[in-house]
Amino acid sequence: MKFNTTNKIKEKKIRPGRGIGSGKGKTSGRGHKGQKSRRGVAIKSFEGGQMPLYRRLPKRGFNPIKSTGIAIMNLGKIQSLINSKKIKASEKINIELLKKLRLINQKYSKYKILGNGDIKDKINVEVDFISKSVKNKLDKTGSTITLKK
């Protein structure tokens, strides 16, 4: 043991592989033979031939688990669909109608309207979610908005 000038005890550093008298000689504390006794070997997540945990669990990828399918559509898109006569301004625009006309995918369970673009016609919409700007724009045209619970 060496003493520092600040009277703190500093233990001597263990230097493996410096003879049997050091207590860490010969195998340098690595046991006998085998892969783990060799230099530069990392066996992370190896479970002795058993199927590793990361391969037993299902793949999840980048899709959020809790995300529910919400179909979004802008006001400008709705107006262009009315102009192209794919939907009528008089009928109720909801997710069932859009799925039937194949304007949105079947996987979606909820429907939201966003405020990009303008609407000229008076429409009747049934949605799950709606943005504030859409609510203001639809109120100006005298449209009816039904929010699902």
Side-chain angles (χ1 to χ4, degrees):
M1 282 193 234
K2 292 182 181 177
F3 288 98
N4 255 351
T5 53
T6 56
N7 294 334
K8 288 185 178 177
I9 297 172
K10 185 177 180 185
E11 291 184 15
K12 197 174 181 182
K13 184 182 160 194
I14 297 169
R15 298 172 68 214
R18 299 298 192 279
I20 57 169
S22 69
K24 286 277 186 240
K26 192 181 170 244
T27 55
S28 307
R30 287 179 173 265
H32 294 277
K33 300 183 181 178
Q35 190 179 10
K36 288 183 179 175
S37 71
R38 307 285 189 251
R39 182 179 171 275
V41 175
I43 317 168
K44 291 185 179 79
S45 75
F46 181 69
E47 299 179 20
Q50 172 180 297
M51 186 62 69
L53 181 67
Y54 74 92
R55 286 185 62 194
R56 274 180 273 160
L57 298 174
K59 290 198 281 187
R60 280 172 45 187
F62 291 96
N63 300 325
I65 295 168
K66 289 187 177 181
S67 74
T68 54
I70 300 173
I72 56 170
M73 195 174 279
N74 283 304
L75 270 180
K77 176 75 174 171
I78 293 170
Q79 184 62 51
S80 67
L81 290 170
I82 292 168
N83 292 344
S84 64
K85 295 187 170 66
K86 287 191 178 178
I87 55 176
K88 295 178 188 133
S90 58
E91 62 187 346
K92 185 184 257 187
I93 300 167
N94 57 14
I95 194 162
E96 289 81 23
L97 174 77
L98 297 172
K99 280 183 182 180
K100 194 174 94 178
L101 297 172
R102 293 188 177 175
L103 296 171
I104 60 169
N105 200 320
Q106 293 290 328
K107 69 180 179 182
Y108 295 117
S109 58
K110 293 182 181 177
Y111 178 49
K112 181 174 183 172
I113 299 179
L114 300 177
N116 196 359
D118 289 313
I119 191 99
K120 297 173 188 101
D121 300 307
K122 183 179 176 181
I123 58 171
N124 182 9
V125 290
E126 183 184 20
V127 291
D128 295 286
F129 309 103
I130 197 163
S131 67
K132 287 179 186 174
S133 61
V134 172
K135 199 167 178 9
N136 294 336
K137 287 177 183 179
L138 290 177
D139 286 340
K140 284 179 187 173
T141 60
S143 302
T144 54
I145 307 158
T146 311
L147 282 173
K148 287 186 193 174
K149 294 281 179 172

